[in-house]
């Protein structure tokens, strides 16, 4: 067996449950359930750009699929299949063992099959494509937000950005907070269950990978509307002090949260509150959709912060 096949066999071949043919042939074969559409998404993680080259291999494996699951969540799709294209600078079996352990731990937790991929030598790069099913016509798009809709966010924002700031030596957190933030950064939890439950409730949704302001901005743009967000209601960890400018920035505009931001009619308010209880996941009503095509954040001091095109780098108090 060639070293490449041995590697694939050892590290990336596991039993599957949603395929007719999996890893080992020229292509995998899948049968899509009747009445569904395929939701397909890919994400690429490049060493030095999206993660530190020396980062923990298990976490990297977990995260490389989790970020894709998050896209399925945002569409209200059930993730089922993934492919993995990976460029490796060398064959390091210990590293591959830990990486695939993390990858399959996350895949298993969400009942996703790894059905194929490609393995090549090169600067460490990981590209996962995910495929999921969504009932015909029921996908949640970015374009459905309507004036008056409530804007909601799951979980808390800013933890992952704080962990990154800590890794960069820009911030020191108390031990417990540091551990919580590191977990958010390295082992993100895709909100797949929430996404599925939202398919009949939400008018639009997006997963927050580039920060709330940027990602909510995508909903506004696609839906041709604006938003008023109340900073006091934006969910953040208790140790994040929003009076501190850098922290405020991390909560509103930090990346890697992988929470969902969605809109829903105000008549669904009670249902969404109940859903939060069922899922044991905080879901916060942070503001409303407006007809004015801008994103206004009402600050803690009552002043409005306007968000410019350049996004998170420049937001200025206007009053
Ligand atoms: P081909 O040369 O036909 O593209 P490969 O030799 O690249 O086939 O791959 C052999 C099999 O292993 C294929 O089924 C492919 O999908 C699978 N595969 C290759 N790399 C990976 C990987 N990193 N993870 C999962 N499956 C992989
Ligand atoms: Mg190939």
């Amino acid at each position: 067996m060639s070293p490449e096949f041995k590697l694939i066999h050892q590290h990336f071949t596991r039993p599957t449950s949603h395929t007719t043919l999996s890893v080992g042939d020229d292509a995998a074969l899948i049968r899509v359930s009747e009445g569904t559409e395929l939701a397909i998404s890919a994400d690429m993680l490049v060493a030095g750009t999206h993660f530190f080259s020396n980062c923990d291999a298990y976490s990297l494996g977990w995260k490389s699929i989790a970020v894709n699951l998050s896209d399925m969540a945002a569409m209200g799709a059930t993730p089922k299949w993934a492919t993995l294209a990976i460029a490796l600078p060398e064959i390091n079996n210990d590293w591959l063992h830990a990486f695939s352990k993390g990858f399959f731990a996350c895949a298993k937790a969400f009942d996703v099959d790894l059905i194929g991929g490609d393995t090549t030598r090169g600067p460490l790069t990981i590209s996962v494509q995910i495929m999921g099913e969504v009932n015909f016509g029921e996908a949640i798009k970015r374009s459905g937000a309507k004036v008056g809709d409530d804007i909601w966010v799951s979980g808390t924002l800013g933890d992952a950005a704080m962990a990154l700031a800590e890794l960069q030596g820009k911030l020191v957190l108390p031990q417990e907070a540091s551990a919580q933030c590191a977990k958010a950064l390295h082992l993100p939890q895709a909100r797949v269950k929430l996404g599925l439950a939202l398919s009949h409730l939400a008018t639009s949704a997006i997963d927050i990978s580039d920060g709330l302001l940027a990602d909510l901005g995508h909903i506004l743009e696609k839906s041709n509307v604006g938003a008023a967000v109340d900073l006091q209601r934006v969910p953040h960890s208790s140790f994040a002090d929003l009076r501190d400018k850098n922290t405020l920035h991390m909560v509103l505009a930090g990346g890697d949260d992988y929470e969902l931001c969605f809109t829903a009619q105000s008549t669904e308010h009670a249902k969404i509150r109940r859903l939060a209880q069922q899922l044991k996941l905080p879901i916060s009503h942070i503001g409303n959709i407006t007809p004015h095509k801008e994103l206004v954040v009402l600050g803690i001091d009552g002043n409005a912060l306007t968000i410019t095109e350049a996004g998170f780098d420049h937001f200025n108090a206007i009053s």
Side-chain angles (χ1 to χ4, degrees):
M1 210 190 269
S2 74
E4 185 196 340
F5 278 145
K6 207 170 154 213
L7 183 162
I8 296 164
H9 180 73
Q10 189 178 345
H11 298 293
F12 298 120
T13 310
R14 297 285 182 281
T16 55
S17 43
H18 315 299
T19 58
T20 37
L21 187 63
S22 187
V23 171
D25 214 306
D26 290 310
L29 298 173
I30 56 176
R31 198 171 294 163
V32 182
S33 311
E34 213 173 321
T36 66
E37 293 175 285
L38 266 186
I40 304 173
S41 171
D43 256 308
M44 187 137 83
L45 299 177
V46 179
T49 303
H50 302 100
F51 59 91
F52 296 108
S53 323
N54 62 350
C55 89
D56 174 57
Y58 179 97
S59 310
L60 189 59
W62 175 285
K63 188 165 179 172
S64 64
I65 182 163
V67 299
N68 285 276
L69 291 168
S70 180
D71 287 318
M72 294 288 103
M75 297 300 289
T78 305
K80 285 199 159 175
W81 306 279
T83 62
L84 166 66
I86 187 165
L88 298 162
E90 56 175 347
I91 297 184
N92 174 340
N93 275 311
D94 290 341
W95 190 93
L96 279 162
H97 178 76
F99 177 87
S100 74
K101 207 169 162 194
F103 186 96
F104 283 111
C106 186
K108 195 167 174 226
F110 291 89
D111 195 20
V112 170
D113 290 341
L114 180 64
I115 62 169
D118 201 16
T119 306
T120 175
R121 201 175 282 271
L124 183 58
T125 305
I126 299 146
S127 178
V128 173
Q129 184 185 46
I130 195 127
M131 286 149 283
E133 290 180 338
V134 59
N135 285 340
F136 196 83
E138 289 183 6
I140 315 168
K141 300 178 194 149
R142 297 178 179 182
S143 55
K146 296 278 181 308
V147 173
D149 281 357
D150 292 331
I151 304 168
W152 299 83
V153 165
S154 66
T156 55
L157 302 181
D159 286 8
M162 283 187 264
L164 181 62
E166 224 187 3
L167 283 176
Q168 293 169 330
K170 296 178 185 163
L171 180 73
V172 180
L173 291 165
Q175 205 176 357
E176 223 172 280
S178 175
Q180 179 185 320
C181 290
K183 199 166 171 232
L185 178 65
H186 298 302
L187 299 171
Q189 297 294 322
R191 302 304 184 191
V192 172
K193 276 190 191 152
L194 173 61
L196 288 173
L198 288 176
S199 74
H200 294 280
L201 285 175
T203 51
S204 73
I206 192 166
D207 70 314
I208 306 176
S209 51
D210 297 328
L212 173 66
L213 298 183
D215 289 318
L216 174 57
H218 294 313
I219 287 187
L220 303 183
E221 200 180 314
K222 289 274 183 187
S223 301
N224 220 5
V225 290
V229 167
D230 187 350
L231 182 58
Q232 296 215 43
R233 300 203 220 160
V234 173
H236 55 87
S237 292
S238 54
F239 49 81
D241 179 2
L242 296 190
R243 287 167 307 183
D244 173 69
K245 232 181 152 191
N246 290 328
T247 308
L248 176 65
H249 191 275
M250 288 187 273
V251 169
L252 287 181
D256 272 0
D257 292 308
Y258 301 106
E259 294 295 345
L260 293 187
C261 174
F262 62 94
T263 57
Q265 289 186 1
S266 54
T267 46
E268 308 290 11
H269 205 99
K271 270 191 207 157
I272 291 165
R273 292 251 177 261
R274 271 203 299 280
L275 183 60
Q277 284 177 347
Q278 277 164 19
L279 297 176
K280 297 190 174 62
L281 173 69
I283 306 178
S284 308
H285 173 208
I286 62 161
N288 285 83
I289 295 294
T290 65
H292 323 290
K293 287 182 199 139
E294 57 176 355
L295 170 50
V296 178
V297 180
L298 197 64
I300 288 178
D301 55 5
N303 286 336
L305 312 163
T306 38
I307 317 308
T308 67
E309 189 66 29
F312 44 87
D313 282 339
H314 317 275
F315 46 90
N316 312 302
I318 53 167
S319 59

